[in-house]
Amino acid sequence: MSDFYTLAIESSCDETSAAILNHKKVIALVTATQSVHEQYGGVVPELASRAHQSHIIPVLDKTLKDAGLKLDQLNLLCVTEGPGLMGSLHVGVALMKSVAMTQKLPLIGVNHMHGHVLAHCIEGQYASEIEFPFLCLTVSGGHTQIVYVESPTDLRILAQTKDDAAGEAIDKAAKLFGLPYPGGPWVDKHAQQGDDLKFKFSVPRLDDGQYSFSGLKTSLLYFLQAQVKENLQFIQENLPSLCASFQKTTMDYLLKNFFNWADKMQVKHVAIAGGVSANSYLRKTFLTLGDKKKLKTFVPKFDYCTDNAAMIGITGYFQFQRGYEARNIVPQPRMKF
Ligand code: KG4
Ligand code: ZN
C-alpha cells in the first residue's frame, strides 16, 4: 500500500494540536496546552484564540519536522469545524484554508465529538481493532453522550445530558473544593488517598435513559455549605474523601446508564472517550464492568483522550475515503453530528 499522509489541526477550545497520519497510523502528534486560563478558573475565549494564534505555526512546524515531511508531500487536510469557541476554531480553519489553497489539497471539516469517538480507530493502540457497531461513552468538558457507532461515518446519539456536561460538573465540584482549573485531574489525584464511600451524594433516576448533572452539583453545594457552617476546616480536612466520593458518584452514574444502553443495543464492543475518560476510577470501573458482561472494552491512550488532532485526522480520513467532498469550511460553534 502506498503512503497516504493526512495533516490535521484541532483548535476548538484551549489545546492547539497538529497531527500527521499515514493512513490510520499516527506518525506525529504535537499538542500545546494553554496555562493562561488557570488563574481565571475557566477558559477565557479571547485569550484562547490569542494563544492559538501564537502556538499554531510552531506546533505545525514541529509536527512536520517530527514526521520528516514537507507540506508538498501531504495528501489530505482536516480541521475541526465545530463545536467549540468561535475565535479558537477560526484560527485552525483559517490556517488550513490557506494551506489547502497554496498546496491545492482537499480540506475536510470534522466534528470534534465525532473525532473523540473515532480516536479508537487509530491504528496500533489495541491488540485487536475495535469493530462496528460499538457503543461509546463520550465524556468531556462540554459534552456527555452515549453514541451508537454503526460505521465510521454513521453515528447516532442515544443519550446525552439535559443540562451540565459530566466534565463541567467535576470542574465545578473541584472549584468548590478549592482546587485549580481544570479540576478533573486534581479530583482524580486527591481521590487516590480518599474513602469513596465516606460521603453520599444523590443522582437522578435514569428512567428516560438520559443524564442530568445540575442536581448533583447543587446537592454538593448545599452539603458543603452546611458542613462548613459547623466546621470551617471541613473541606481541607476531608479533601481526599470528598474527591473520591464525588468522583465515584459521578462515574458510577455515567457507567450505569451506559451499560443499560449496551444491554439494550446488544453491542459486543464498548468504548469510552473524551477528556473525562482519562479518569483513573472511570477507566478501571469501565474495564471491570465490561469484563463482567463479557464485552470487549476499549480505553484510549491518554494522548487520545483529551483534545488532540490525531482524532480529527482519522475521522477526516474515513470521511474522505467514503467520498466526502472538500468544501468551503466555516467554523460552527454549535455543530451537531
Ligand atoms: O475532551 P476535553 O479535553 O475537552 C473538551 O472537549 O471539553 O475534556 C476536558 C474535561 C475537563 O472537564 C477536565 O476536567 C476533564 O476533561 N478531565 C478529567 C480528567 N482529565 C481531564 N476529569 C476527571 N479525571 C481526569 N483525570
Ligand atoms: Zn474534546
Side-chain angles (χ1 to χ4, degrees):
M1 191 165 53
S2 56
D3 293 330
F4 186 93
Y5 295 119
T6 301
L7 167 68
I9 294 276
E10 150 65 33
S11 70
S12 63
C13 190
D14 59 345
E15 326 270 1
T16 319
S17 183
I20 295 177
L21 288 82
N22 186 1
H23 294 277
K24 296 193 284 175
K25 208 170 170 50
V26 176
I27 55 170
L29 171 62
V30 178
T31 304
T33 40
Q34 304 179 359
S35 50
V36 62
H37 308 289
E38 274 165 26
Q39 56 188 305
Y40 300 102
V43 176
V44 183
E46 173 65 21
L47 296 179
S49 51
R50 287 179 196 214
H52 283 304
Q53 295 271 14
S54 51
H55 291 161
I56 202 150
I57 297 297
V59 164
L60 173 60
D61 272 349
K62 176 144 187 4
T63 308
L64 286 163
K65 202 167 157 213
D66 288 357
L69 293 170
K70 300 244 177 309
L71 282 177
D72 62 8
Q73 290 173 277
L74 301 172
N75 301 96
L76 176 66
L77 304 174
C78 304
V79 68
T80 307
E81 190 174 9
L85 300 170
M86 184 63 180
S88 293
L89 290 165
H90 189 71
V91 177
V93 169
L95 172 74
M96 290 301 258
K97 275 177 157 177
S98 41
V99 178
M101 278 179 83
T102 55
Q103 302 297 318
K104 298 192 175 35
L105 286 171
L107 173 61
I108 302 286
V110 174
N111 181 303
H112 178 89
M113 300 311 294
H114 192 169
H116 273 305
V117 174
L118 290 200
H120 293 285
C121 301
I122 294 169
E123 213 172 277
Q125 265 185 99
Y126 305 119
S128 64
E129 285 190 17
I130 197 161
E131 283 169 22
F132 299 91
F134 68 88
L135 200 65
C136 185
L137 173 66
T138 317
V139 264
S140 71
H143 293 80
T144 306
Q145 298 175 336
I146 296 177
V147 186
Y148 182 72
V149 195
E150 185 100 53
S151 80
T153 50
D154 186 3
L155 285 74
R156 185 153 47 99
I157 297 171
L158 302 177
Q160 51 196 324
T161 177
K162 291 181 258 188
D163 37 62
D164 294 353
E168 192 181 348
I170 296 166
D171 291 343
K172 283 178 181 166
K175 204 169 185 174
L176 294 174
F177 298 153
L179 296 171
Y181 178 86
W186 291 96
V187 169
D188 195 348
K189 183 166 173 262
H190 287 286
Q192 316 277 339
Q193 271 82 49
D195 170 3
D196 61 10
L197 295 172
K198 184 157 182 189
F199 303 108
K200 289 264 172 296
F201 305 107
S202 56
V203 287
R205 290 164 60 99
L206 283 164
D207 300 341
D208 61 357
Q210 304 297 316
Y211 292 114
S212 166
F213 288 94
S214 66
L216 175 62
K217 184 187 64 188
T218 314
S219 85
L220 174 69
L221 175 68
Y222 290 159
F223 171 76
L224 291 178
Q225 280 173 343
Q227 297 299 322
V228 170
K229 227 185 224 172
E230 302 286 314
N231 169 13
L232 269 177
Q233 297 304 311
F234 177 79
I235 295 177
Q236 290 87 327
E237 286 170 9
N238 292 283
L239 185 61
S241 295
L242 280 169
C243 288
S245 302
F246 188 80
Q247 175 177 275
K248 176 177 166 54
T249 306
T250 313
M251 305 306 169
D252 287 350
Y253 173 61
L254 282 167
L255 291 172
K256 183 159 194 337
N257 198 31
F258 177 74
F259 282 109
N260 287 346
W261 276 105
D263 287 344
K264 207 156 144 184
M265 301 308 287
Q266 300 193 325
V267 286
K268 302 226 163 33
H269 287 204
V270 289
I272 52 174
V276 181
S277 67
N279 183 267
S280 50
Y281 178 89
L282 180 72
R283 293 167 87 90
K284 194 177 72 199
T285 316
F286 172 75
L287 293 174
T288 310
L289 293 176
D291 285 352
K292 231 185 231 170
K293 286 180 172 286
K294 306 220 175 335
L295 298 170
K296 207 135 194 280
T297 45
F298 295 83
V299 174
K301 254 178 73 173
F302 281 108
D303 284 353
Y304 303 148
C305 286
T306 44
D307 291 350
N308 68 88
M311 67 185 198
I312 303 303
I314 187 89
T315 307
Y317 172 76
F318 277 119
Q319 291 179 328
F320 185 70
Q321 277 197 326
R322 275 151 204 249
Y324 277 46
E325 297 278 329
R327 57 188 164 79
N328 185 27
I329 311 296
V330 179
Q332 296 185 47
R334 295 183 179 280
M335 189 180 191
K336 303 236 165 16
F337 278 149

